[in-house]
Amino acid sequence: MRHAYLRLTAAALALLLLPWTGITTSATAQTPSEPTLETIMAHPDWLGNPPEEPYFADDGRSVYYLRKRNGEELRDLIRVDLESGQQSFVALGDRGKADNREGDLSLDRRWKTYARHGDVFLKDLQTGTIRQITRTEEAEAAPRFLVGDNRIAFQRGDAVFVFDLVAGTLSQPAVLQLRKDPAEDEESGYVDKQQERLFEVIRKEKSDQAAQREEERAARQLDPTRAPQPWYLGEDVEIVQSSLSPDGDWMLVVTQAKGREEKPSRMARFVTEDGALEAEEVRSKVGTEPPVDHKVLLLDLKSQKKHEVDLSKLPGITEDPLKELREKAEKKAEAEKAKKDGADKKADKKADKKADKKDEEKKPRPVEAQALAWSDDGRYAALMLRAPDNKDRWIVTLEREKPEPVSRHRLTDPAWINWSFNDLGWLPESDTLWYTSEETGYSNLYAMSMKDAKTRRVVEGKFEVSNVVASRDGKHLYYRANASHPGIYDVWRVPAAGGKPEQLSRLGGETFFDLSLDESQLLLLHSTATRHGDLYVQPNQALPPGTEARQITQTHSPEYLAIEWAEPEIVPIPSSHVKLPIYSRVYTPKDFDPSRKYPAVVFTHGAGYLQNAHAGWSNYFREFMFHTLLTRRGYVVLDMDYRASAGYGRDWRTAIYRQMGYPEVEDLEDGVGWLVKNKSVDPARVGTYGGSYGGFLTFMSMFRKPDLFAAGAALRPVTDWAHYNHEYTSNILNTPEVDPEAYEKSSPIEYAQGLSRPLLICTGMVDDNVFFQDSVRLVQRLIELKKEDFETAIYPVEPHGFRQPTSWLDEYRRILKLFETHLK
């Protein structure tokens, strides 16, 4: 039954534009006129599955995309002919002939190399002929042409290989060995030295071994048919990344200490195949592992010289931005210990500690290499480095034959450097480096020429620039930006040398893009608040007024389209704390009567740093549909991009530094006040719910502001930030040992005494992101505080994002019951 659609003719596919082909279930057999919880929480296949990973064919005459099969997790590859509009499935046996999404072009643009399923291919773009370069069990990746276009370099694990297209040989430009160089003398004890001193046979054996090693070294260096002499990196390191220069003469290698101490947590599984309880190791908790510290090596493959890139002179590298917090925490800990021991601290110990700290302050901070890019000719390499304390990001360049790093840019933030907007690259066939930076408060686009080292801002404004792509001729930079409105993302183009940006797409909502190989067309993945993403095509230019991009897919199911979904307004709600407004989605009942008083629900999105009050399709699509159901039942719904959300610049993001749950709750208060003033909402009948970070904010608002909401539901919630992961939490709160005050201030479990209204806690038991233990600890705290009006729903087989429709349905039935009971 599920494969019946494969027998559709091409003509039928073109006529239908590949509409949803559903599997009949109890939730979708009837086309509902109004949404129900059973419909909304059914498997999302019922909505229709949108295009995934779309891209142009190499000739620009068709488009490929992946699409999930109904009832399965497998994806089909689909081809759309742009001239006829016909769509066809690419059979499994034919996928090797289909064009590939990724790849590298030769300088003359005739050849393309790419990896597919771990093997390397070469395609003649004029004839369409495909040549397979590797067919191995090991995975090869990231193939690219080297200077001259006669060689292809690719990665295989930690190793780099080069295939010569003319000679047909496969070689390793550098053999990296994670062991000590045998030629290096080992430390000898008394007996070893005595043996060599006393016995000629020992001296002769050592001399022969040294001569043999030297002969082997010379042979590898002089004989072009031999593999090169290995590079011995030591047995105490592991390779993080290696990259060959485009001319094949240099290699950058990033290493870190081997065997970093890990302290994983353990998670129990109760529902298992054999019925036995299982425990598995999952992520560690914040601050429990040593910081990452990368070392960078520059290998001169011609002269066999190894240079360790000296990062100890980066501007500000010896500063300790957490010094005051660290000392404050240490003094507090010492005072508590002294009080506990009943004795004062000794002066000499204090002096010793101060001396130790002084020595530590002089040491460079650890750094982590986050990005690496070579200029096309291999003359320059650019490295983006980040301090593990999250306060600094550097861009340095290395010039061929000049291994001393040159610091080109330092981005410092007293809170934390963003996870996003850390892109960099070189303009093609140029010595100009482009990068994104939040130094003005928003992600803007910059360029710097190595000739004069002058930086110019290519795109500037109070909006976010992302997804930067350089044109093949290096004359333009393409990017996404929300320049016209914080919630609308379009495609833009700007001259790389500077000039006025040009808006290319005008579909509104949210738009992602892909350029055709000849850069004459744009492929757009576009969505709105009520429609998931579909594909559009337009010429690579701003369209004349009155013309629009051509839609080439429509993937929504008839069942979904038959429902009149509530279209949210995007409203800038004034803030009583900052100058910027709080952009929010507002859902209003269809028969809204301002003379009535309405109940309301405030939804709080997760992730903290996420934007949900935009004009595109939300990752919270179930919640969007649930909000339509709530409006049908007479609720007004508010969905706010509180401070910490993405899309509004650095200061909006970092407002929560060391005080999570404070600015956000202030914004929620402003939101409730706006509802009362503008949407006839009864302030005594407002509820709230949210998951993950939204669950955390449900706790913080109900514990710290018990009169704000009449009831709340916290889903998969964080209750104590000391139990969350390092990568996320240490940015915002530092670490518990350094900044215990921030953790105490920001963790809901510290405020549980404030609960006075009905609370629902829903949590998955196999959540390896926010542990089930989080909710268990809070429940125990509420029990010991003798709180009565709370209940917990547990989901034995669910991770952080629920997978089973029955779990979604059970959870949202409970949420709806909570609101119907306490808000109506």
Side-chain angles (χ1 to χ4, degrees):
M1 172 65 182
R2 65 180 181 235
H3 296 296
Y5 56 78
L6 290 173
R7 296 192 292 269
L8 289 172
T9 65
L13 285 168
L15 178 66
L16 295 173
L17 272 177
L18 271 181
W20 178 79
T21 48
I23 48 176
T24 302
T25 67
S26 59
T28 61
Q30 302 289 330
T31 301
S33 57
E34 291 292 335
T36 65
L37 270 183
E38 287 76 7
T39 302
I40 293 169
M41 300 303 160
H43 192 286
D45 279 354
W46 82 268
L47 286 78
N49 290 311
E52 300 175 9
E53 302 180 18
Y55 61 96
F56 275 110
D58 292 335
D59 61 9
R61 296 177 182 175
S62 57
V63 164
Y64 291 94
Y65 67 91
L66 295 175
R67 193 172 182 202
K68 181 185 174 299
R69 295 179 190 172
N70 290 310
E72 302 180 33
E73 292 305 314
L74 299 174
R75 264 68 176 167
D76 289 308
L77 180 64
I78 299 169
R79 177 181 175 273
V80 186
D81 184 280
L82 293 180
E83 183 177 354
S84 66
Q86 290 186 347
Q87 305 196 32
S88 56
F89 291 89
V90 179
L92 280 177
D94 294 331
R95 289 196 179 187
K97 305 172 187 175
D99 294 335
N100 201 65
R101 185 185 188 199
E102 306 293 342
D104 185 47
L105 294 182
S106 62
L107 191 61
D108 61 8
R109 303 175 67 81
R110 174 171 177 177
W111 302 93
K112 178 180 178 180
T113 183
Y114 57 89
R116 188 198 300 274
H117 301 305
D119 287 310
V120 178
F121 296 81
L122 176 69
K123 180 178 181 181
D124 186 331
L125 295 175
Q126 290 185 0
T127 66
T129 304
I130 297 175
R131 176 183 176 186
Q132 187 164 3
I133 304 298
T134 68
R135 185 182 297 165
T136 68
E137 184 64 24
E138 294 184 79
E140 287 95 24
R144 58 190 174 88
F145 289 99
L146 298 182
V147 171
D149 290 339
N150 292 323
R151 297 170 297 164
I152 294 173
F154 59 86
Q155 300 274 155
R156 182 186 290 165
D158 292 333
V160 177
F161 289 84
V162 172
F163 183 77
D164 190 307
L165 296 170
V166 178
T169 56
L170 182 67
S171 62
Q172 270 187 278
V175 179
L176 307 179
Q177 296 280 356
L178 297 178
R179 59 192 181 97
K180 188 177 180 180
D181 189 341
E184 293 181 13
D185 292 331
E186 296 187 10
E187 292 186 12
S188 301
Y190 174 82
V191 173
D192 296 321
K193 293 177 181 178
Q194 182 192 50
Q195 291 291 95
E196 186 176 352
R197 176 171 55 83
L198 294 177
F199 301 107
E200 171 64 25
V201 65
I202 299 295
R203 294 195 295 273
K204 180 69 166 61
E205 184 178 348
K206 289 190 69 174
S207 176
D208 288 346
Q209 289 174 350
Q212 188 174 5
R213 286 195 299 267
E214 187 57 36
E215 180 77 6
E216 176 70 8
R217 186 187 301 273
R220 287 177 179 265
Q221 193 167 4
L222 297 172
D223 185 352
T225 66
R226 297 286 304 275
Q229 177 71 14
W231 296 86
Y232 297 99
L233 306 183
E235 56 190 16
D236 56 347
V237 301
E238 56 189 13
I239 297 171
V240 177
Q241 183 181 3
S242 59
S243 178
L244 183 67
S245 66
D247 58 10
D249 294 339
W250 299 81
M251 179 176 283
L252 273 170
V253 182
V254 180
T255 67
Q256 66 181 15
K258 187 178 181 180
R260 289 176 65 247
E261 183 183 2
E262 296 183 357
K263 295 182 179 179
S265 303
R266 296 181 67 82
M267 182 182 72
R269 291 184 180 271
F270 291 86
V271 180
T272 59
E273 288 186 13
D274 61 3
L277 180 68
E278 294 178 0
E280 64 178 280
E281 291 187 345
V282 289
R283 65 157 174 84
S284 59
K285 295 175 183 177
V286 58
T288 61
E289 295 182 0
V292 170
D293 190 11
H294 288 168
K295 305 301 180 186
V296 181
L297 302 174
L298 180 61
L299 308 182
D300 183 340
L301 305 185
K302 283 190 171 182
S303 67
Q304 288 287 300
K305 291 182 179 178
K306 178 171 66 175
H307 307 279
E308 183 166 342
V309 179
D310 183 7
L311 302 176
S312 64
K313 297 176 183 177
L314 291 173
I317 189 66
T318 59
E319 298 171 5
D320 182 2
L322 297 174
K323 177 184 175 183
E324 291 185 11
L325 289 175
R326 195 188 317 275
E327 291 180 348
K328 183 179 179 181
E330 288 174 356
K331 287 179 181 178
K332 182 179 179 181
E334 288 172 0
E336 290 175 351
K337 186 177 185 303
K339 184 178 180 180
K340 182 179 180 181
D341 295 343
D344 295 328
K345 300 181 292 295
K346 293 184 178 180
D348 56 342
K349 288 185 178 180
K350 287 178 69 177
D352 289 342
K353 286 183 178 180
K354 284 183 179 180
D356 291 342
K357 286 176 190 171
K358 190 174 182 180
D359 290 338
E360 288 175 7
E361 288 168 9
K362 296 177 182 178
K363 295 179 181 179
R365 284 179 283 164
V367 294
E368 180 180 359
Q370 290 195 310
L372 187 162
W374 290 96
S375 61
D376 278 357
D377 61 1
R379 180 178 178 182
Y380 295 100
L383 284 167
M384 183 174 284
L385 308 165
R386 182 186 178 112
D389 57 33
N390 312 306
K391 304 295 188 280
D392 277 292
R393 185 198 79 176
W394 298 271
I395 297 175
V396 302
T397 59
L398 304 169
E399 188 172 359
R400 186 171 52 203
E401 301 173 8
K402 293 181 182 179
E404 190 70 23
V406 179
S407 179
R408 301 292 185 178
H409 182 259
R410 179 191 179 190
L411 179 64
T412 299
D413 197 307
W416 77 94
I417 304 295
N418 203 342
W419 301 282
S420 305
F421 313 128
N422 294 306
D423 303 317
L424 86 165
W426 296 90
L427 291 180
E429 299 182 68
S430 167
D431 66 355
T432 297
L433 179 72
W434 62 261
Y435 61 91
T436 53
S437 173
E438 272 191 322
E439 60 201 72
T440 64
Y442 293 84
S443 173
N444 285 178
L445 180 59
Y446 298 80
M448 176 192 296
S449 171
M450 297 297 102
K451 289 186 178 71
D452 56 17
K454 291 183 179 178
T455 300
R456 65 179 185 277
R457 192 152 31 142
V458 181
V459 178
E460 59 181 300
K462 294 183 177 181
F463 50 82
E464 309 284 35
V465 172
S466 63
N467 302 96
V468 181
V469 175
S471 64
R472 291 291 299 181
D473 61 10
K475 293 182 179 179
H476 290 90
L477 290 163
Y478 295 82
Y479 58 94
R480 287 179 76 235
N482 55 349
S484 62
H485 183 281
I488 298 176
Y489 287 82
D490 281 301
V491 185
W492 295 73
R493 176 174 63 188
V494 66
K500 184 178 180 181
E502 179 184 18
Q503 184 176 344
L504 299 180
S505 70
R506 296 183 181 275
L507 292 170
E510 227 187 355
T511 304
F512 295 85
F513 73 97
D514 182 58
L515 273 170
S516 62
L517 215 57
D518 64 3
E519 300 184 358
S520 66
Q521 301 178 87
L522 285 171
L523 175 63
L524 308 176
L525 178 61
H526 169 69
S527 68
T528 67
T530 60
R531 297 287 186 269
H532 67 223
D534 265 308
L535 300 180
Y536 296 72
V537 173
Q538 73 171 58
N540 184 11
Q541 63 186 40
L543 296 179
T547 59
E548 294 183 353
R550 177 164 63 100
Q551 186 172 353
I552 62 171
T553 65
Q554 193 297 101
T555 53
H556 298 82
S557 71
E559 288 84 349
Y560 178 81
L561 294 175
I563 298 174
E564 184 182 355
W565 299 102
E567 182 102 28
E569 304 171 72
I570 298 181
V571 178
I573 293 177
S575 168
S576 59
H577 300 276
V578 293
K579 293 180 180 179
L580 293 177
I582 313 159
Y583 282 90
S584 307
R585 286 187 173 193
V586 180
Y587 298 79
T588 308
K590 285 196 300 183
D591 57 351
F592 180 74
D593 179 359
S595 65
R596 289 177 50 192
K597 285 293 182 183
Y598 288 86
V601 169
V602 176
F603 168 68
T604 311
H605 69 69
Y609 190 65
L610 177 147
Q611 186 176 15
N612 207 47
H614 55 73
W617 184 253
S618 171
N619 290 328
Y620 292 96
F621 58 89
R622 290 183 181 87
E623 288 75 7
F624 150 70
M625 294 187 287
F626 181 56
H627 297 162
T628 293
L629 183 145
L630 289 175
T631 62
R632 297 292 200 271
R633 292 179 176 239
Y635 293 86
V636 177
V637 181
L638 178 66
D639 174 1
M640 306 191 79
D641 274 344
Y642 49 82
R643 276 174 286 173
S645 298
Y648 308 97
R650 178 196 61 207
D651 295 345
W652 197 261
R653 167 176 61 85
T654 61
I656 62 168
Y657 179 58
R658 302 189 65 236
Q659 55 171 358
M660 297 167 83
Y662 279 74
E664 310 96 300
V665 172
E666 291 174 349
D667 294 343
L668 297 180
E669 285 184 292
D670 283 339
V672 171
W674 185 90
L675 289 175
V676 172
K677 182 178 179 181
N678 296 276
K679 290 292 181 179
S680 298
V681 164
D682 181 350
R685 293 192 291 145
V686 182
T688 187
Y689 83 106
S692 194
Y693 200 94
F696 152 72
L697 285 181
T698 297
F699 286 147
M700 289 297 272
S701 55
M702 295 194 69
F703 295 171
R704 291 187 53 249
K705 301 287 182 179
D707 296 328
L708 183 59
F709 296 116
L715 324 176
R716 51 193 181 277
V718 175
T719 69
D720 187 341
W721 287 109
H723 286 251
Y724 198 53
N725 69 30
H726 183 86
E727 293 74 19
Y728 181 91
T729 320
S730 66
N731 285 279
I732 308 171
L733 301 179
N734 303 309
T735 60
E737 289 73 21
V738 170
D739 201 353
E741 185 179 284
Y743 281 80
E744 292 171 9
K745 183 175 183 178
S746 302
S747 295
I749 199 167
E750 302 284 349
Y751 303 95
Q753 179 65 53
L755 179 65
S756 62
R757 302 295 180 91
L759 172 65
L760 169 65
I761 304 170
C762 298
T763 182
M765 294 182 72
V766 290
D767 188 337
D768 59 2
N769 182 10
V770 178
F771 297 149
F772 177 58
Q773 182 187 22
D774 259 42
S775 293
V776 172
R777 292 177 71 246
L778 179 67
V779 167
Q780 178 62 24
R781 178 70 177 145
L782 293 172
I783 290 170
E784 292 183 7
L785 290 170
K786 301 178 181 178
K787 298 296 179 180
E788 299 180 53
D789 207 0
F790 73 93
E791 60 181 23
T792 307
I794 61 173
Y795 298 86
V797 300
E798 294 297 355
H800 195 60
F802 284 11
R803 295 173 182 169
Q804 304 302 320
T806 49
S807 299
W808 282 105
L809 179 59
D810 181 89
E811 182 178 53
Y812 275 76
R813 276 177 171 166
R814 294 174 187 274
I815 296 169
L816 183 60
K817 181 179 179 180
L818 178 78
F819 294 153
E820 293 284 80
T821 301
H822 299 285
L823 306 185
K824 287 291 188 72

